[in-house]
Amino acid sequence: MTTTRAKPWHGVMTATALPFGDDLSVDHDAYAGHCRWLVDSGCDGVVPNGSLGEYQTLTPEERAGVVETAVAAVGGDRVMPGVAAYGAREARRWAEQARDAGCGAVMLLPPNAYPADEPTVIEHYREVARAGLPVVAYNNPFDTRVDLTPALLARLHAEGLIAAVKEFSGDVRRAYEIAELAPGLDLLAGADDVLLELAVAGAAGWVAGYPNALPESCAALYRAATAGDLATALPLYRTLHPLLRWDSRPRFVQAIKLSMDLAGRRGGPCRPPRLPLSPGDDAAVRAATEKVLASGLR
């Protein structure tokens, strides 16, 4: 278990998958155990209520309960909930709920009900920042249709509205422009399949999907990459990459949960509207996971 971090968003922050029972109710006991296992296996913290946690399918009571379960399991300084919502006031309420539960930071998408312009994005982050917790912006232009460009991130950071950014654009060149335009804004790798490239570029953390199934090897990859130990990191990255790239695909939730099942963890089903993987995708994830497990990685 890691014990020291400069900021609560630093290190390997696993965007947690959420276990459901046979009736698709949230299994809080299983989720608490999963959070503890991740931290015990080398991860620095957890990110509940992200897309991997299927937050869009949860009731308000379930969503609040997931945060409370994570905090009780691993401590609030290790919990950074997603607080995305269609409205800024609702997102602020989720940030306040996280604050009251004892969390150390929150992660926030831009407005995603429509392609918001720059003034709207800034006001959205301004409203949520009023909750008083550090905000990690989440740039996912594919799903939100809003691109948090380096210049826009610099404006948000200059106003004190964000402390870091989870970068999911896939454009690793942005790491250098962000560092130039917004010194002091922490960069977090947001897609598993560009972790090495962003670590070399100075990432201070990784909001990660595949540690749900393989926490020890993913944590080892992150620490080697951020230490500049490419002799260790590159072979490990090559071995894991056939799985890591599933984190950037539309059916990433189903893929990661299947890998969890194969690794002896509890992935289980997804809530509708997500369907099981197609036979071809199922076979591909199985083959990639089994190859990694056969190599001895966990």
Side-chain angles (χ1 to χ4, degrees), residues 152-282:
L152 178 52
L153 290 168
R155 288 190 62 185
L156 293 167
H157 183 249
E159 193 174 324
L161 303 180
I162 61 172
V165 58
K166 174 187 175 182
E167 231 302 314
F168 192 80
S169 71
D171 184 354
V172 298
R173 297 169 297 183
R174 292 189 177 198
Y176 302 97
E177 189 174 1
I178 290 169
E180 292 162 10
L181 296 178
L185 178 66
D186 282 338
L187 174 69
L188 310 183
D192 289 1
D193 56 351
V194 291
L195 178 275
L196 180 60
E197 294 81 358
L198 291 179
V200 169
W206 177 19
V207 181
Y210 253 95
N212 280 284
L214 300 162
E216 293 180 15
S217 56
C218 287
L221 169 62
Y222 173 81
R223 305 204 194 290
T226 53
D229 180 6
L230 295 184
T232 299
L234 189 55
L236 187 53
Y237 194 48
R238 285 180 172 143
T239 300
L240 291 170
H241 210 271
L243 284 178
L244 299 182
R245 66 182 68 123
W246 279 95
D247 182 59
S248 296
R249 296 176 177 174
R251 288 168 294 282
F252 71 106
V253 180
Q254 297 95 316
I256 290 172
K257 281 192 161 186
L258 175 56
S259 291
M260 291 170 66
D261 289 334
L262 295 171
R265 304 303 300 172
R266 181 176 169 187
C270 297
R271 278 188 176 176
R274 286 187 172 90
L275 298 175
L277 292 171
S278 68
D281 284 347
D282 184 283

Side-chain angles (χ1 to χ4, degrees), residues 130-145:
R130 293 186 179 108
L133 278 183
V135 174
V136 174
Y138 178 8
N139 186 38
N140 184 344
F142 309 105
D143 291 342
T144 65
R145 297 176 291 166

Side-chain angles (χ1 to χ4, degrees), residues 27-44:
D27 188 332
H28 287 279
D29 289 340
Y31 182 60
H34 184 57
C35 291
R36 286 190 292 267
W37 175 72
L38 289 170
V39 171
D40 288 344
S41 298
C43 297
D44 294 282

